[in-house]
Every structure is written in C-alpha cells, then in structure tokens.
Amino acid sequence: MKHIYRLILLLFIFIGSLFLFGQTIPEISAVTTTATSLQSSTFPILYLQVGNYTLNTLHGYSSEMDSGKVRESITPLDAKKTLIVKIKQNESKIKKLEYKLRDISNSKIIENNSLSAFDTQKKYRTASIKINQTLDTSVEYGFQITLTTSYSKKIHFYTRIKYYSSDFFLKEKLDFVNNFHKATFGEDDSFNISPYLEANTNDDSTFANVNIHSGKSLITWKKLNPKKLSETIPTIREINIETAAISFDYYVQAETDSGMESYHVKEFYRVRYSGNRIYLLAFNRKMESFFDPNLISLKRSEFKIGVSNENDLDITASDSNNKFAFVRNGSLWYYDLKTHKLTSVFSFAQNSKDYLRENYDQHDIKILKVSDNGNISFILYGYMNCGDYEGRVGILLYDYSAKDNRITERVYIPLTTTYQQLKEDLGDFSYVNDKNIFYFSLNNIVYAYNMSSKRYEILTEHASRDHFSMLEKAKCFIWSNADSSEKANEITILDLDTSKELTVKAPNGQSIVVVGTIDANLVYGFVKNKDIHESTTGEIIRPAYRLIISDCKGNILRKYKTKNYYVTGATIEENVIHLKRIQKKNGKFVNASDDTIMNQKNTKARSFDLTTRITQRMLTEKYISLPAGYIIGSKPDVLSTKCVMVTENTTLHLTNEEMSNSIKYYIYAGGGISGSTTSAQKAITMADNQMGVVMDSNSHIVWERGGKFISKQLSNINYPNDTSSSIKACTQMLLQAAQVTTTTSQLKGKSILSMLDNYLEQPVSLTGCTLDEVLYFVSGEKPVIGMLDTNHAVLITEYNSSTVAWMDPVTRRKNTVSISRAEKMFKDAGYKFVSYITN
C-alpha cells in the first residue's frame, strides 16, 4: 500500500507540474488572418459660409496636425469676423464642435472655444463662430475645427483665416468665377467669356488641359455636353485685397464614342479686382477620365485610359511580360495576359456615387515590383479615404498575392503632414528585396527597414542634390558621406537586391560629389578641396575638375575632363548631360561657356506603353498598348481583391527630429503643391512663373505673387560708424532691422549669409531672383542686401510703383532710382541678394 500511495502522490505531482509549467511556458500557435472588403467612408464633410457664400470643402483628419502646415484653403473674414460651419454628417452623428485659432509665426493658440448647440439648414447641421481675438490685417492664421461624434471620436478639419477690416471684394471675385464657370456649361447665356480669354495658337487638341489661351469652343466643351455629377463649391486657395486664386473640384459624365464615361475635373482661376473691374489673370481646367474595364478596345487590344494629362503612366510589367500592373485615378489594376483576368487590386472607390469622399484624390500608389507569378509589392501614400486608417496620412506597404487574390499589409508609417507635402517629400524610388528589407527615402533621409526584425537604420541624412541619387533600372542607391561642411571623401553604392555596398573614395585633399544619374548609370565628380569657395552671398561653389560615368558595379564607362575648366552644376535630360562650368584664369575662377555630354540611350522598346488616338468628338485620348501580337479577344473577367486583416503590429514610427533636418520650400500654385526645392531662389522663381506662393517646411509664407504692398518705406535704420566695408555695413544694418544689436567688427564669416547665420534663425540667399521678386521682403518689413558689383553692397529699404531706394554705405546717402534702372543695375551685377525669413 505504501508503494501505491507513493505512486499516486507522484502522479499528482506530475499532473500538477504539467499544469504549472503549462501556465508559464509560452504557447506556440499559428496566427490566423481573415480576408475582408475595404470599409466605406464614414467621415462628415465640412463647408464654411462667409456672408452669403458657401465655400471651402474640408475633409477630416483622424489625428491632430499643425494647422500651419495645412494649406488646403483660406477663409477670408471681414470686419464682423464671423463664419458659419456647415456640417454634412453622412454616417457620423456630431455632438460637439471645438475650434482653435493659431498664430502661425510662433505656433501659439490665441483663441479657442467649443459649441454643442447646432442649427439645421436643409441637409446640414450648422454652427456660427465669431472670432473675438484682435487679428492683423492680411496675415494668415491657422484654424482648426474639431468635431466629436456620438461615439466620442474626434475628427479634425483645417483651413487658414485671413482678416481684412476694409473691403477685399470677395463678392466681386466669387461672382465672376461662378458666372464664368456656369457660362462654360451654357448655364448663363448673359455672361460672355470671350473678353477675358487670351486665345492664341495654343494646342486645342485635348480636353485634358484647357486654359486661358485655349479657344472658346474648347473651353465651352465643344460637342461633349457633360452633365455634372457633384456640386461645384468654390475653394479659395489664396486671397489678397486685389487678387484671389479660386478653384472648383467636381465630377461630370458624358456620352462618348465608347459609351458613357465619367471624369474628374479641376478648375483654377486667378483674378484681380482693380479700378472697379475684374481681370482674369489665369484659367486652367484639367480633366481625367475614370478607368472603366468595359471600355477596353477589343479591336485594337488596348486598355482605354481616355482623356488624361498623364504622359508616363505608372505601368510595371513582370520580367516575362505576361503580367502587368498600372495605377489610374489612385487605384491599382493588374492584368494577367495568360488567364485573361483583370483585377482591381486596391481602390478606395467602393461606392460609385460617393464622389467627394471615396474619389478624393489626395493619395497615390507606387508599384515597387511585379513578379512572374503575379505577386505585386506596392506602396499607398497620402490621405486615406476610408477603411481602418480613414482620415490618416501615411505610407502603407502592401503585398498582393495573385494566387490567393489578397493584399496583405506589411508596413504602416503614420505621418503628421498633408498629401501635397508628402508627395514632394517621398523619394522617387522605393524598393523591397527578398530579404524583407524595405528601402525608402523621406525628407532627404534614406531608410532601410528590416520587416523581420522590426528595426531600421538610416543610410544617409543628406539625400539631396550633390549627395544622393537613385537608379531604378539598376536597383541601387548612391550617396556620399557629406558632413556639415558639405565635404565628402567617399560615395557608397548600395545594391538593393543583395544589400551589398561598394565604396568609391576621393584622393587625399579632394572631395567627391554626386552629379546625378543617366539611364542606368551614375555620374559623379572629383573636387580639390582648395578650390571649394563661398560666394559673397553665401553659395558654396564646388568646382569638379573631373567627371566619371560608371555603372552600379563601379565600372567606369566614360570620363570628362578639360584643362582649367571646372563643372559647378549639371542637369540631365534623357541622354544628355548639360554642364555649367567656370574657368580658372590667373588663379581666379570666372564664368565659362556651358558644355554637354552625350550618352548612348537605352533604346529598348517597352512592351506596355501609352499610345494616343484622336477622334472628332473626344479629341485626344490615351490607351495602354499591349505586347505586339497579343489579342484580347473578349472582355476580361474582372475580379476584386480582399484585404487581409493582419493581427501583428505593422506600424513603423519615425521621430520628428529625424524627419525635419533641413529647410524645404514648397511652391503652391494651381490649387496644390506644384513642386519643392531646398533653394529659396528657385522656389520664388517657380512661384512667380506659376502665379503662386512659397511656403517653407516651418510653415512660414516666404513669398507670394501679388502679395506685396504698392509701396513701402523702412525707417529707423542707421549707418554704422565703420562703413569701410559696404558688405559688413549692410549686414549690420540688416541685423538692426531684425532687432539684433552688433557692430561691424563683431561680424565673423566669409560671406553675408555666414555672418547672418550667427544671429538670425533663417537668413536666405535670394541670388538669382529679380528685383521685383525681392521687394516682397521689403514689403514684409525685411530689408534686402543687394550687390552692385563684387564688393559694393547696398541695403534696399524703400520702393513705390515707380522708384526704388537704398542705403549706400559707400556714400552714406540714400539713393533713389527708377525701377527700370535699378532692375538693370542689379541684373548686370548678377542679381545677388540676401535677406531673411525669420529672426
């Protein structure tokens, strides 16, 4: 019996041990996933009413953003400082509204309040907001409206506020734009658009891009007779007392040669009200067809894209050319030539009639690769119209499995920015290799993210011109190890497939610069450090005495070197490198003639490409041509993918410190961001040509076409005691205006910019800008240093409609000259200017 009891005791101990260890040993189990369709949009839409005008359609964000960074619209206020918020609730029920008014210059909230009582106005819930804070005239303020739903979800909306105590002629500007728009549709026979057009020999062969230079027949749609599918509510993009930029965003449908088609249309107007009349400064209407699988051309075996401004549609084929994918209207499509199946891989457009939300075009897709088995890697970036991330802005990496007809989320990168800025900040080329490493660049920082270990490394923080380039065809990144002095003694060539690195080093006492890429090859140059110099206005000149063209394996294909000639810049167009050069004479660098390098172009024909077709009714339309000899035969089967619900966390958080390492300038024109650059001068020139605005990455308005006052005079600036150096004297006087106390003897630096850098937060070189462009800074209470020759600096402090005046330290007198004469003087001196953005 003793043995039996002992056996029973041991059995209990064994069972108890199994239970105890079973609680502490991790259980290994397979992760299950469920395929589901993308959810429809749920967010409300906001409109703002100023006076009798409903304007500015606002879309909601799930997370709070810096209202200074959101430039989707501007809401002007008159002396009453009152606006009405009109809420189209949709699937949400709103119980509370809060608002915040922010001073963009210092990011401080200057007024906030909340409302919980709403009125009803037809299909809207409305609330009236009166701003009590004293506002400066013609200054932009950030404005955030936050709605709280019955489920306690907060949805944020953003606009900008601009206040005028006197008449800024909003009624005249909006009435004109509305009447012009209606007249193009034949809705207002009493309004004649002809006197406002500047028709010339402009190309009238397409509906895709119509402007003020187009013929009246094209502007009034010829025989197309489109029918509107959505409301046309104006959005104010920019406004001053005289000028305004206003846009419409709407959808139409028309009977075409192929059948009934739908289109997305954007109209942009720039008007000026002066002398009791309106002037139309710019008009542009862009039109894009929606892709419809039913309109595939069987006769020619082509996919119809239709009316489009796209010249290089994102079409990616597998190596075998048996499968291809393309992006159209923010949606991803995939076609298998063998199975004759067409798949809608990803699209926010779930409800064909919910145009405003699900067809909202503030996102895009980049195809990373298409495998021979039909699997696709792609990234979705921008504003998320619906689904789990509705109202968020970010980057999503997806994999599509052709076998399972599913997409799986691999990485989610949340961002606090807008799509307009993100499309400029996201690098041109991203890549995923077979080792589960996701390569991408953002804000001039290049990342390598290991999706298996959930860790990332920064390859370089200087992914800007002269420091970084990418070769999509060769699947490699190239960067230099530039430091804060912008000197680099080596470049790294990374093979993205193998993750192997190749290093090219400069000889001792020399630097290496990345010039760019041409076809599948790299162009870089060698610079002697002793030749690196700084111009008077602060530009760093790195003269390359030798250029190299090599492949990504380091094999040198061609060299360029001309005795006593140095390359200071290069632009690459197709197979031609255009070189900007200087020459050394008597030990000094002087300007020299430009030169070019021709490179043998890869003439391999694409199997899938855009072709055009012209008809009398629809004018120019575009099609995707398929490989020669392939016949579609019949309408393809159309499939839709299922999304995979991922149970693991795919979020990758990037720190704000990493993402804001340099100042960038964004050009706002035509209703959105049309470009960006790290050069203030280039940004201002582009904005001037496009009648736009420049905003930097710190939310400062840097420059605005038509934004300066008619006249301006800066006072209380005195000459320093020591004016022996006009450059130092002008620098000291500019610092006076910026409320900085110093003397000319305390100024240290080789250039005006380097001297200002010691005292001001954001000095800026404006070299290359015209006199008219830099007078905007004087208008904003910031004097401008201008060079009359290499050593003679003056301080521009005053202007009116006919003259410009400056302080001259050489004569210690104010000099007033005509604008035309001043323009010539500064142009002859090379348009060398310096000012500042913030102090």
Side-chain angles (χ1 to χ4, degrees), residues 493-518:
I493 303 174
L494 172 68
D495 185 312
L496 299 178
D497 273 331
T498 64
S499 298
K500 290 183 179 179
E501 296 181 358
L502 173 68
T503 302
V504 179
K505 294 189 175 183
N508 290 334
Q510 297 186 23
S511 300
I512 191 167
V513 292
V514 177
V515 175
T517 63
I518 186 163

Side-chain angles (χ1 to χ4, degrees), residues 686 692 741:
M686 290 170 65
T741 303

